[in-house]
Amino acid sequence: MAKVYKPFTCLGIVAIPISMYTAAQYNSIHFKQPHKVDNSKLKYKNTCGHCGKEFNLKSLIKGYEYVKEHYVVVTDNDLISLLKKSNWKK
């Protein structure tokens, strides 16, 4: 955790340092869109980063990168089933 503020408390001629830390940490999940054929990272020019072939947007899938260049593929049905299992309503 990062220090937010580092004040001193003075009691007479004695200064006592105080360290304050953040109580919460922001974590979020970011999905990538790897190539459907070989799960490799895509470039902005609509070419596969692995094989260099151009692709159309219909060949995009959702994936979570758990290790560099390694993805877990997530389908729309997976996301719908998660919504059904959770208490979240649209």
Side-chain angles (χ1 to χ4, degrees):
M1 282 194 250
K3 288 184 182 179
V4 176
Y5 185 60
K6 191 175 179 181
F8 286 90
T9 299
C10 293
L11 300 172
I13 60 170
V14 178
I16 302 171
I18 299 172
S19 296
M20 299 175 81
Y21 295 90
T22 56
Q25 186 176 2
Y26 178 75
N27 293 325
S28 65
I29 296 175
H30 299 281
F31 284 102
K32 308 278 184 168
Q33 291 184 323
H35 191 216
K36 192 175 191 176
V37 177
D38 55 7
N39 289 342
S40 62
K41 187 175 182 179
L42 298 175
K43 296 182 178 180
Y44 286 106
K45 294 182 180 181
N46 293 345
T47 57
C48 176
H50 179 71
C51 62
K53 294 180 184 176
E54 288 192 24
F55 63 91
N56 58 10
L57 296 179
K58 291 181 181 179
S59 66
L60 291 178
I61 57 173
K62 292 178 183 72
Y64 175 73
E65 187 176 27
Y66 63 94
V67 178
K68 187 173 182 176
E69 299 294 325
H70 290 63
Y71 296 91
V72 174
V73 177
V74 180
T75 63
D76 290 335
N77 292 334
D78 293 335
L79 295 175
I80 290 169
S81 67
L82 286 174
L83 285 174
K84 289 179 181 177
K85 290 179 185 178
S86 70
N87 293 329
W88 187 75
K89 305 274 192 253
K90 283 187 176 181

